[in-house]
Amino acid sequence: MSAQEPRLDPERWWTRLWKFFVALLGLSFFIASLSSGYLRRLPNWEWWELSARILFGLLALVLAAYLFLKRRGKLAREEAAPTQAAYPFPKFLDSLWTEGARRITSESVEDNASNGKKPVDSKGTGESDYLRPIAIFTELIMNVSKHRVRVAETVDVEGHMMVQRVIVEFDLPRGWEQAKFLYLPVLHPVKGELVDNFHLRDAQDSSLTDLTYEETTRLAAAGLRLLMAFGDKAVIAAESESVVPPVAAEASTEWPDAAMVAKEKDLLTLLAMRGPVDIEPMQRTINEILETFEVDDLTKGYLRRYVLELCGAYPIVAVVDPQIVAGGRVLIKYERTLMPASVTAAAGSSEGPPARSRRAKFGVKRWRGLMRIGMGLRPAQVAVPISLALTASSYHLRLNAPESKYVFEQHLTCSHCDQLVTPSWVGSRPGVKRGPVGTAKCTHKAGVEPSAHRFDDRHYFRLQRRHGQNFVHLYMRGFGAAKPKMHDLQVVARFKEVPPGSRLQAAVTAFATTVLVIVVGYMVSNHRVAPESDYPAVILALPAVVASWFGIASERNALVGGSLLARLSLIVSGVLSIASIVTYLMTAPTEAGSSPPPPQVSLLGVTHKAWIALSLLSLVNFVYIYYRFVLKLIHYRDLMRRKQGHGSTMKIA
Amino acid sequence: MAGRRTSASNDDAMWVVEPTDFVSPYAPLSDSIFDHEVRLRAAWQLAVASLERSARTSDTPEEAPAGGSEEAKFLSDKPDDSLPAIIQKLQKHIHDIQEEREKADDAAIEDDGPTPAVEAPAQSARRSVSGAFGRLTRRTPPNPA
């Protein structure tokens, strides 16, 4: 027993009592709707009883819906409070301003105690060990897509979760040869987002260390100081072609002045902010701070880029030994777990893209997603953002599904308007709705169609043609250098089961159900069943058992779901099987020696109306599922027969 | 081209991965900071020298910058309820409470009487902690916007 009793909340208890009362009332209405005989004293009691039962049933439904919606609303509210952006404490900023950047004053890696020693040239090159690493870090932050020459992303959807494995190939700026170590910003997660199961490795799969938040912020502060010093004083020192320390030290007596310190701390505040940040207001703030900053345009441009990049994301910075760099190229791998959200079109506009929800509002397909979820089937479509393509010169995405699946459809689309990306698209600024299908959030517009007979250095993409494989391969080039960029593009892949799959199971079950229903119907119709015999009922129950087993066994250990049609067919088979048992128990002969009925309308010898209906339904179920199974089989075979061609350039295969 | 689809009009259920990586809105620069090698090294020396100067002056009481924005004045302000000061106060307070408890225990052993209640100082410490952090959290952070 805990020492502190939970406090009794009267309002909460009243709510519970009210819900209990409503549930009791609903249960009473439900029982009343199933009961009969209580109105027999009234004239026309059958009519009154039927009306009363319908009324009780409706009341029970209304109360059940009320309780359901109330509970659902409560569950939906049980969420953590949204993360807000938070400014750092002034003390933390002070420590950034002094302690953080003090590291760069040390002479060498071994001497970073910042004991006030003069930063004497330790290698005879006029610079300390930290100049190159910090300068390279700053350059990599400001010029992301230029130095990330290739990014290969693999997303596995084979287990319960999605696992992202990324290989980043850097082309380091010159000067890396003089560095004793390197700070490489590998990943730029948006502030406020957690990175799950993150592992950082080099090309030999050896683990790499990465900086903590505070270390990264200090590094960012050092980079900021370096860029701020890029201004006029440095220009004067550079133009004098004398960059020996005494000159700079002399100049430093006037730099930075108080106004510049204030600006620097303002910018540091933005860098050290925690939590999600809106980029557009942040851009305006940075511009306001830099507006009265008396430095040349080049420095101002560098500062603008640098601060914006770091105030929106916490870069994960790997510390790398330059010995693994060859010719300026270094390869870093990382791995993390992605959390996909299951979105259905009928779930409302709050989850799915607006265009998708709008189109689905009045369509039959609106319920398909809900049916799939309701039947315990996981989504068979996967949408993966390709934002890494905008941070690299060359980008590969491989989306791997389980081996039991093949790619049925693959599209490169805009996540806002669902339009397929075409080679003629160019980037545009958001905020203006372009065309009848675009949205205000879209960052693309139609450009000039590329021609085969002219030179073109624009962005380029290609999807591997479908050959019945279980993965999507997308190649993109030049999207990181586009100006402006096309944001929020995604790959949408739809996977199907490799035949025979669950459709064959459903077809076999439907066939067995159909045969048994027709046979039992024929025997009942022709009085060939032994009186009081239970064997037909037992036999008719078999398809229901088989359907249940297939339904349970088909969806284990797979993130990508199976066939909705097969699941529906299995359910129909099971329901028909149970309906046949009930029909048999109600229509089975109880006496022997009856003569067969006179010739009348029959279906395969079945003359009993209830059995004809059951046989027809079962037959339709079997024929349709078998037709769809054959269709898929032929489609898959056609995919397998496709030849490897190169005619699919820029084509959505 | 006739007959070609222009949209992915599929309304089935879907696994959607929300983008969690920050994408720079800027296109690559035509030149890098390493293209200004001389200027880079001069900037470095300037930055290092200025930091060294600030480190030298850090032992003396800092003066607030003469100019600058309101945020800068706020940031350079050193209020009494800064985190180290609060922690120091709390440590001293807890130390005093412990001393009081030890004295009370000693007195109880000597008098062989009932142990004095220790709830009151503990509650006092809790009030002190909440009050200190209350003062800390009541401070409105600067709004650079």
Side-chain angles (χ1 to χ4, degrees):
Chain A
M1 190 173 176
S2 61
Q4 191 179 4
E5 289 290 337
R7 200 164 62 88
L8 293 176
D9 186 355
E11 190 182 347
R12 196 174 168 189
W13 281 107
W14 276 115
T15 310
R16 283 187 179 180
L17 202 63
W18 167 248
K19 282 196 284 190
F20 177 73
F21 172 72
V22 172
L24 205 63
L25 198 65
L27 190 66
S28 307
F29 285 145
F30 179 64
I31 292 170
S33 71
L34 298 177
S35 307
S36 64
Y38 45 84
L39 292 176
R40 284 191 182 169
R41 291 180 183 174
L42 295 176
N44 296 328
W45 65 273
E46 293 94 344
W47 187 88
W48 284 108
E49 189 176 279
L50 180 66
S51 305
R53 288 175 69 177
I54 292 173
L55 183 66
F56 285 141
L58 287 175
L59 285 173
L61 272 178
V62 167
L63 292 180
Y66 167 75
L67 286 176
F68 176 79
L69 292 175
K70 201 168 175 62
R71 182 65 187 158
R72 189 185 177 208
K74 189 183 174 192
L75 287 175
R77 283 198 304 272
E78 288 174 356
E79 289 180 355
T83 311
Q84 301 290 335
Y87 296 96
F89 276 111
K91 283 289 175 187
F92 181 63
L93 279 181
D94 283 341
S95 74
L96 277 184
W97 191 68
T98 53
E99 294 294 328
R102 185 180 290 173
R103 167 176 278 207
I104 65 174
T105 67
S106 59
E107 296 170 17
S108 62
V109 183
E110 291 75 21
D111 176 25
N112 59 1
S114 64
N115 52 8
K117 283 185 182 176
K118 200 173 180 180
V120 185
D121 175 9
S122 64
K123 294 178 291 189
T125 57
E127 63 188 51
S128 78
D129 293 339
Y130 286 93
L131 166 59
R132 296 293 151 179
I134 293 175
I136 287 172
F137 167 79
T138 309
E139 169 70 19
L140 291 180
I141 287 290
M142 291 194 305
N143 239 343
V144 179
S145 57
K146 186 174 181 180
H147 297 289
R148 286 160 66 105
V149 285
R150 185 178 294 127
V151 170
E153 179 181 5
T154 305
V155 178
D156 287 326
V157 291
E158 291 182 356
H160 283 290
M161 299 299 298
M162 283 190 183
V163 179
Q164 181 194 38
R165 296 183 180 87
V166 180
I167 301 173
V168 185
E169 209 172 314
F170 288 95
D171 182 16
L172 298 178
R174 66 172 182 271
W176 64 269
E177 302 92 341
Q178 289 101 43
K180 280 192 172 180
F181 51 93
L182 296 165
Y183 294 126
L184 303 183
V186 180
L187 179 62
H188 300 251
V190 175
K191 285 184 177 177
E193 291 285 343
L194 283 178
V195 181
D196 297 309
N197 298 331
F198 185 75
H199 298 291
L200 197 60
R201 295 187 176 89
D202 63 10
Q204 281 76 40
D205 280 338
S206 304
S207 291
L208 290 173
T209 55
D210 59 312
L211 300 184
T212 63
Y213 161 73
E214 291 195 358
E215 288 169 331
T216 307
T217 316
R218 282 177 193 151
L219 180 62
L224 180 66
R225 171 57 65 99
L226 177 64
L227 286 181
M228 290 193 71
F230 225 70
D232 298 333
K233 294 285 181 189
V235 173
I236 293 167
E239 284 177 351
S240 69
E241 295 180 355
S242 175
V243 290
V244 291
V247 173
E250 189 181 344
S252 72
T253 56
E254 301 168 16
W255 186 92
D257 58 12
M260 190 170 260
V261 170
K263 295 284 180 195
E264 185 179 2
K265 286 194 174 178
D266 285 350
L267 294 175
L268 266 181
T269 308
L270 302 183
L271 282 187
M273 274 180 74
R274 298 187 183 210
V277 173
D278 285 337
I279 292 304
E280 286 187 20
M282 199 54 66
Q283 272 180 310
R284 284 197 296 273
T285 307
I286 294 169
N287 287 336
E288 284 169 12
I289 294 172
L290 293 178
E291 196 175 1
T292 54
F293 201 11
E294 293 178 355
V295 290
D296 57 308
D297 290 342
L298 179 71
T299 307
K300 208 176 272 190
Y302 283 173
L303 283 170
R304 188 178 292 117
R305 276 172 175 264
Y306 184 74
V307 176
L308 185 70
E309 293 282 352
L310 290 174
C311 71
Y314 288 133
I316 293 181
V317 182
V319 186
V320 173
D321 188 342
Q323 287 185 349
I324 66 170
V325 182
R329 301 289 281 261
V330 61
L331 194 144
I332 307 290
K333 301 175 182 175
Y334 69 85
E335 178 183 324
R336 65 173 166 174
T337 303
L338 297 175
M339 297 285 187
S342 171
V343 173
T344 56
S349 57
S350 61
E351 292 288 336
R356 183 178 298 122
S357 301
R358 192 173 57 245
R359 272 202 314 273
K361 195 171 179 182
F362 301 106
V364 179
K365 286 180 177 178
R366 179 188 173 192
W367 300 103
R368 202 159 81 176
L370 276 184
M371 277 173 66
R372 175 175 280 275
I373 302 299
M375 290 178 188
L377 276 173
R378 289 167 186 158
Q381 287 188 116
V382 180
V384 177
I386 46 109
S387 49
L388 287 179
L390 308 184
T391 66
S393 304
S394 174
Y395 172 75
H396 288 267
L397 169 69
R398 186 177 158 126
L399 181 59
N400 289 333
E403 287 184 358
S404 59
K405 303 284 191 296
Y406 73 95
V407 181
F408 182 71
E409 284 178 340
Q410 54 182 9
H411 304 293
L412 181 62
T413 69
C414 168
S415 63
H416 298 300
C417 65
D418 282 350
Q419 293 296 298
L420 302 187
V421 179
T422 68
S424 66
W425 277 16
V426 291
S428 71
R429 304 207 175 277
V432 182
K433 185 178 174 182
R434 292 175 178 83
V437 290
T439 67
K441 290 182 180 176
C442 291
T443 53
H444 59 80
K445 63 181 181 182
V448 181
E449 285 288 342
S451 166
H453 303 292
R454 68 181 175 84
F455 294 103
D456 194 352
D457 62 346
R458 288 191 302 183
H459 49 269
Y460 168 90
F461 72 91
R462 184 174 176 181
L463 276 159
Q464 176 62 277
R465 294 188 77 195
R466 293 168 300 156
H467 293 281
Q469 77 275 23
N470 67 330
F471 62 87
V472 175
H473 182 190
L474 169 70
Y475 171 64
M476 299 175 80
R477 188 179 66 214
F479 281 75
K483 190 179 177 180
K485 290 180 181 174
M486 276 186 277
H487 292 266
D488 300 328
L489 302 184
Q490 63 179 6
V491 164
V492 180
R494 186 183 177 88
F495 297 102
K496 293 274 188 183
E497 287 178 327
V498 172
S502 62
R503 280 194 187 177
L504 182 62
Q505 295 172 350
V508 169
T509 311
F511 176 73
T513 310
T514 308
V515 168
L516 289 175
V517 167
I518 290 176
V519 166
V520 174
Y522 176 81
M523 291 168 69
V524 170
S525 300
N526 293 284
H527 293 266
R528 295 193 178 183
V529 183
E532 309 291 343
S533 172
D534 290 336
Y535 287 118
V538 173
I539 291 171
L540 283 170
L542 281 178
V545 175
V546 171
S548 306
W549 173 250
F550 282 157
I552 292 167
S554 61
E555 274 294 307
R556 282 186 299 200
N557 299 326
L559 186 71
V560 180
S563 168
L564 176 64
L565 185 68
R567 179 61 62 94
L568 277 173
S569 176
L570 283 173
I571 289 172
V572 170
S573 297
V575 169
L576 283 174
S577 174
I578 293 166
S580 304
I581 297 169
V582 174
T583 309
Y584 172 76
L585 294 176
M586 294 178 71
T587 62
T590 52
E591 293 178 2
S594 303
S595 59
Q600 52 186 316
V601 177
S602 71
L603 177 79
L604 296 173
V606 180
T607 54
H608 197 287
K609 286 179 184 172
W611 286 103
I612 287 178
L614 285 172
S615 304
L616 263 178
L617 287 173
S618 189
L619 205 57
V620 168
N621 178 38
F622 165 63
V623 169
Y624 186 67
I625 187 67
Y626 191 72
Y627 154 71
R628 293 293 297 266
F629 167 67
V630 172
L631 203 61
K632 184 195 255 189
L633 201 62
I634 291 172
H635 176 249
Y636 183 68
R637 189 200 61 182
D638 291 345
L639 286 179
M640 300 281 281
R641 283 181 176 178
R642 274 183 166 187
K643 290 179 181 173
Q644 285 278 356
H646 48 268
S648 61
T649 308
M650 309 256 186
K651 187 164 117 183
I652 308 302
Chain B
M1 190 176 292
R4 177 166 293 177
R5 292 175 66 168
T6 57
S7 67
S9 58
N10 203 314
D11 299 311
D12 204 344
M14 184 189 298
W15 287 119
V16 175
V17 180
E18 293 292 332
T20 56
D21 295 333
F22 180 79
V23 177
S24 168
Y26 296 113
L29 289 163
S30 55
D31 56 352
S32 70
I33 60 172
F34 289 92
D35 292 339
H36 309 274
E37 183 69 29
V38 180
R39 190 173 170 177
L40 174 67
R41 292 180 61 178
W44 174 261
Q45 296 294 347
L46 204 57
V48 166
S50 67
L51 282 168
E52 191 196 17
R53 185 162 56 90
S54 68
R56 275 202 307 272
T57 56
S58 63
D59 295 335
T60 58
E62 289 183 18
E63 291 178 6
S69 61
E70 288 297 318
E71 290 85 358
K73 286 176 183 171
F74 179 85
L75 297 178
S76 61
D77 187 22
K78 284 196 169 183
D80 292 337
D81 57 353
S82 59
L83 194 57
I86 290 167
I87 291 170
Q88 199 174 358
K89 280 182 191 172
L90 287 176
Q91 284 173 342
K92 185 175 180 305
H93 195 71
I94 291 165
H95 181 70
D96 292 345
I97 290 167
Q98 283 174 341
E99 277 191 349
E100 281 179 24
R101 289 182 63 177
E102 284 170 6
K103 284 179 185 172
D105 288 345
D106 294 342
I109 291 166
E110 285 173 6
D111 298 343
D112 198 19
T115 306
V118 292
E119 288 296 319
Q123 284 174 357
S124 165
R126 197 177 302 130
R127 276 199 300 277
S128 174
V129 171
S130 63
F133 278 101
R135 285 201 300 280
L136 209 63
T137 51
R138 272 201 299 277
R139 288 191 59 182
T140 310
N143 183 4

